[in-house]
Amino acid sequence: MKNSREKILKAAVAVFSRRGFHQAQVEEIAKKAGVGKGTIYLYFPNKAMLFSAAVSEGLEEIMAALQSELQSDVPFTEHFHILIRTSVTLYLKHGDLSKILINELTSGIGPAAMKEIEAVRERFIGFIAGVLEQGSRDGYIKPMDFRLAAAGIVGLMDSLCRFHFQSRGAVDSAQIAETMHAILSNGLLAK
Amino acid sequence: MKNSREKILKAAVAVFSRRGFHQAQVEEIAKKAGVGKGTIYLYFPNKAMLFSAAVSEGLEEIMAALQSELQSDVPFTEHFHILIRTSVTLYLKHGDLSKILINELTSGIGPAAMKEIEAVRERFIGFIAGVLEQGSRDGYIKPMDFRLAAAGIVGLMDSLCRFHFQSRGAVDSAQIAETMHAILSNGLLAK
Amino acid sequence: MKNSREKILKAAVAVFSRRGFHQAQVEEIAKKAGVGKGTIYLYFPNKAMLFSAAVSEGLEEIMAALQSELQSDVPFTEHFHILIRTSVTLYLKHGDLSKILINELTSGIGPAAMKEIEAVRERFIGFIAGVLEQGSRDGYIKPMDFRLAAAGIVGLMDSLCRFHFQSRGAVDSAQIAETMHAILSNGLLAK
Amino acid sequence: MKNSREKILKAAVAVFSRRGFHQAQVEEIAKKAGVGKGTIYLYFPNKAMLFSAAVSEGLEEIMAALQSELQSDVPFTEHFHILIRTSVTLYLKHGDLSKILINELTSGIGPAAMKEIEAVRERFIGFIAGVLEQGSRDGYIKPMDFRLAAAGIVGLMDSLCRFHFQSRGAVDSAQIAETMHAILSNGLLAK
DNA sequence: CATGAATGAGCTTTCATTCAT
DNA sequence: AATGAATGAAAGCTCATTCAT
């Protein structure tokens, strides 16, 4: 049996993503985690901090997974494709998280937790910008404002993934990855 | 002096976008609109419906503005560029709205209002998909899943605009339009 | 067309009896009376006073009708019977009123209106006590505390009439009058 | 120290009877019970249900007390007298309750709670009707519509007890019991 | 470490009342 | 005399947080 902190975090991600920050009730998280309400306050100072911890640790996992993917040694063009596919897969798998990350950023979470979350988002965007920059140094990516582009990519991915969730299976992971790849590699214009 | 309904809607957009749906207080909206709290309930049945009305009517304006832009008769390549620039400008100008549109979609607004908002988002995505499809018929845009692409474009724009708002002026409207244009026309890959 | 004051009073009786004092809304009364909300405040200082006026004037009518009945000159035993039948009929006809009179006496109407209503009830009880006293002087009614008995009679009638309203026709006016007459003339005990 | 539920119910009976359903404030009940406002909602889903619980449980007590009185084995005539005296005593003792039971039946309490209360009143009337029916079988009570008569008795008692409360001591318990007994045993008519 | 009964600040919403027309 | 748009006090209810056990 995992320890309480883990169980709480896992339950928190699930509940927050389903309901959003304000609609989520601490009690439901406690119940889902199989602990008492009070126990949550043993590990997290308040709801907002629990929220940012949930987001933070989840995203950290995604980044670690992507990072390890980056180690492999294949030609860039293929690498680029794989990277996108992996991102989409991870993003959809951690769908809960992504919904949170996108939807709750201005929902009045309180300044402290807010800062935490923006920092996480920053780190995520920075991570992607880093990948782009490396690709650029190796001559595969056009020079550009990498952070801006990275922010755009995150938004693109979010939006496509939301489409997936809302389409209830009509649009699958592969289609999303292909659309992303198509747009990001060559744009929309016919040659 | 504008009529009350207008004043309330305007104030609502401002407050909702700053605070998010749940954090926004009806009282603050009333104060900002310069009307009594009760007056709001004369025009809107409840907070959620006020919210969806605010989003809805704002977005309608944006679409109308874009629509009129589309009438002009210039070569497509240039048109494409202009369209993106106009979109970004409008989006930034109605920044309040865009933040709402993106951030509040799952925040537990109540089913009725929720449906309204999703419908608006749908309409917006559909509108963009229509533009892409027309471009494709004329041979300027690659064939693809236009609705998916449109969803992606909205996400891309959102994310870049948010970057603008958070950078507090470090990234300007032109840069965002250029980045969008660069990505959407040719993608990220160096040739 | 009756004048506004009349129309308002009539509508007030109808609405108050259907909904009770607190549930009744001034707007509904105005609508039913076919006047503007503001007009009501031209004739009555506030909701509570409108309420007590409605009760008061209605009860006054009942008493007037009973009074005229009392003038007739028939043997007391028959008179007693007729009186009860007439009372029940009137009470049921003015059912709205009776419900109000019974149900709203402690509902927190505000001290001023409250006093008015209690005064009306007093007057009604006094009226019946007077009838009993006269009957006693004529040797038809046992000596007793007439006001107390009158209060009891009003309660008895109320309760039976409510039974009528709730039974939705299963118990008719005649049955109620007979039961009242049976109890009041000889009591419940078998000889 | 009694448990919270008990304390709340007791306070509720007191406050509801003094103010009536609508005028009664949950906060005042909480204060009187010596608990926090929220605690009330731990035990009762809403104000209306608290109300019906208060009425219900109080009346149940009265019926239990009367029931035990009925077990005793004395001649019926005396029994009848005793029963009325006991009823009046109980009714006056639980005066709060009786006021509620009579006054609030149409005050717009909400359908669910309303039904509960009507059911309680039904049960009470049914209980008395049962007593009458038994007396009739034993030959002491005239045959009649027992439920109708029972409803009348409740109304009679109510009204007399209200008289007691309003007379501020001028009319005592014994007088009321005697008046009831006089009316119910032999009626008002002189022989 | 763990709990959940208890709390009360804070929210939305209603509706009697006013007053400019 | 008549109106009804506007008001804001007032109240029920929720839920994050605490703390005695």
Side-chain angles (χ1 to χ4, degrees), chain C residues 76 80 84 132 140-146 149 153 156 179-191, chain D residues 80 84 142 144 156 178-191:
Chain C
F76 184 85
F80 187 67
I84 288 176
L132 292 178
Y140 298 112
I141 297 277
K142 283 187 280 195
M144 58 199 325
D145 183 328
F146 300 117
I153 290 174
L156 182 60
T179 303
M180 270 200 74
H181 183 255
I183 294 179
L184 290 180
S185 53
N186 299 307
L188 304 169
L189 296 187
K191 240 101 350 140
Chain D
F80 187 66
I84 289 175
K142 284 187 279 197
M144 58 197 327
L156 182 60
E178 282 326 298
T179 303
M180 271 200 74
H181 183 255
I183 295 178
L184 291 180
S185 53
N186 299 308
L188 302 170
L189 299 188
K191 246 128 304 171

Side-chain angles (χ1 to χ4, degrees), chain C:
Chain C
M1 172 72 72
K2 277 178 303 180
N3 69 56
S4 291
R5 193 174 187 283
E6 292 298 320
K7 289 190 293 181
I8 291 168
L9 268 178
K10 199 179 176 112
V13 170
V15 174
F16 279 133
S17 65
R18 191 163 319 138
R19 306 235 191 277
F21 179 75
H22 274 98
Q23 216 68 348
Q25 285 161 232
V26 174
E27 175 124 37
E28 189 182 352
I29 295 173
K31 213 155 269 169
K32 188 157 218 138
V35 302
K37 226 186 323 175
T39 307
I40 288 180
Y41 289 85
L42 243 45
Y43 294 97
F44 305 92
N46 54 45
K47 189 188 177 187
M49 282 315 198
L50 168 60
F51 180 68
S52 74
V55 173
S56 207
E57 308 209 356
L59 209 57
E60 225 66 67
E61 261 183 64
I62 291 186
M63 286 191 282
L66 273 178
Q67 190 61 265
S68 77
E69 183 73 37
L70 283 170
Q71 311 305 337
S72 79
D73 209 20
V74 290
F76 184 85
T77 340
E78 195 181 331
H79 201 167
F80 187 67
H81 209 155
I82 292 176
L83 212 57
I84 288 176
R85 274 209 296 269
T86 310
S87 300
V88 170
T89 307
L90 282 170
Y91 219 73
L92 289 179
K93 181 180 145 207
H94 290 260
D96 289 349
L97 249 175
S98 54
K99 277 191 234 163
I100 291 179
L101 198 62
I102 307 317
N103 290 315
E104 297 293 342
L105 287 184
T106 45
S107 298
I109 297 164
M114 193 63 204
K115 232 154 235 159
E116 281 260 323
I117 298 190
E118 300 230 315
V120 177
R121 194 182 160 95
E122 284 293 299
R123 210 153 65 244
F124 191 47
I125 289 178
F127 172 80
I128 294 175
V131 175
L132 292 178
E133 197 172 356
Q134 180 60 44
S136 181
R137 269 202 294 273
D138 298 345
Y140 298 112
I141 297 277
K142 283 187 280 195
M144 58 199 325
D145 183 328
F146 300 117
R147 287 189 59 78
L148 204 47
I153 290 174
V154 172
L156 182 60
M157 187 151 68
D158 273 334
S159 201
L160 293 179
C161 290
R162 181 186 299 176
F163 210 90
H164 166 80
F165 289 125
Q166 277 169 6
S167 76
R168 303 241 163 220
V171 180
D172 69 9
S173 167
Q175 277 173 281
I176 289 172
E178 283 326 297
T179 303
M180 270 200 74
H181 183 255
I183 294 179
L184 290 180
S185 53
N186 299 307
L188 304 169
L189 296 187
K191 240 101 350 140

Side-chain angles (χ1 to χ4, degrees), chain A residues 46-122:
Chain A
N46 54 43
K47 189 188 177 188
M49 283 315 201
L50 168 60
F51 180 68
S52 75
V55 173
S56 207
E57 307 207 357
L59 208 58
E60 225 67 69
E61 260 183 62
I62 291 186
M63 286 193 280
L66 272 177
Q67 189 63 264
S68 78
E69 183 73 35
L70 282 170
Q71 312 303 340
S72 79
D73 209 20
V74 290
F76 184 84
T77 340
E78 196 181 332
H79 200 169
F80 186 67
H81 210 155
I82 291 176
L83 212 57
I84 289 175
R85 273 207 300 268
T86 311
S87 301
V88 169
T89 307
L90 282 169
Y91 220 72
L92 290 179
K93 182 181 143 206
H94 290 259
D96 289 350
L97 248 176
S98 56
K99 277 191 235 165
I100 291 178
L101 199 61
I102 306 316
N103 291 314
E104 297 293 342
L105 287 183
T106 46
S107 299
I109 297 165
M114 193 63 206
K115 228 152 239 162
E116 279 260 324
I117 297 190
E118 300 230 316
V120 177
R121 194 181 158 93
E122 284 293 299

Side-chain angles (χ1 to χ4, degrees), chain B residues 4 34-39 42-43:
Chain B
S4 290
V35 301
K37 224 184 327 171
T39 307
L42 238 49
Y43 294 97

Side-chain angles (χ1 to χ4, degrees), chain A residues 17-23 76-77 80 99 101-110 118 121-122 125 132 139-142 144-145 147-156 158-160 162-164 166 171 175-176 179 181-191, chain B residues 16-23 76-77 80 99 101-110 118 121-122 125 132 139-142 144-145 147-156 159-160 162-164 166 171 175-176 179 181-191:
Chain A
S17 65
R18 190 164 320 137
R19 305 235 192 278
F21 179 75
H22 275 98
Q23 216 68 348
F76 184 84
T77 340
F80 186 67
K99 277 191 235 165
L101 199 61
I102 306 316
N103 291 314
E104 297 293 342
L105 287 183
T106 46
S107 299
I109 297 165
E118 300 230 316
R121 194 181 158 93
E122 284 293 299
I125 288 177
L132 291 178
Y140 297 113
I141 296 277
K142 283 187 278 197
M144 56 198 328
D145 183 328
R147 288 190 59 77
L148 204 47
I153 291 173
V154 172
L156 182 60
D158 273 333
S159 201
L160 293 178
R162 180 185 303 175
F163 210 91
H164 166 80
Q166 278 169 4
V171 180
Q175 276 173 280
I176 288 172
T179 303
H181 184 254
I183 294 177
L184 290 180
S185 54
N186 298 307
L188 303 169
L189 298 187
K191 250 132 299 171
Chain B
F16 279 133
S17 66
R18 190 164 318 138
R19 306 238 191 275
F21 180 75
H22 274 97
Q23 214 68 349
F76 184 84
T77 341
F80 187 68
K99 277 191 234 163
L101 199 60
I102 306 316
N103 291 315
E104 297 293 341
L105 287 183
T106 47
S107 300
I109 296 165
E118 300 230 314
R121 195 184 159 93
E122 284 293 298
I125 288 179
L132 293 177
Y140 298 113
I141 296 279
K142 284 187 278 197
M144 58 198 324
D145 183 328
R147 287 190 59 79
L148 204 48
I153 290 174
V154 172
L156 181 60
S159 200
L160 292 178
R162 182 185 298 175
F163 210 90
H164 166 80
Q166 278 168 5
V171 180
Q175 276 174 282
I176 289 172
T179 303
H181 184 256
I183 294 178
L184 291 180
S185 54
N186 299 307
L188 302 169
L189 297 188
K191 239 87 14 123

Side-chain angles (χ1 to χ4, degrees), chain D residues 13-34:
Chain D
V13 169
V15 174
F16 279 133
S17 66
R18 190 163 321 135
R19 304 239 191 276
F21 179 74
H22 274 97
Q23 214 69 347
Q25 286 162 233
V26 174
E27 177 126 37
E28 187 183 352
I29 295 174
K31 214 155 270 169
K32 186 155 219 140

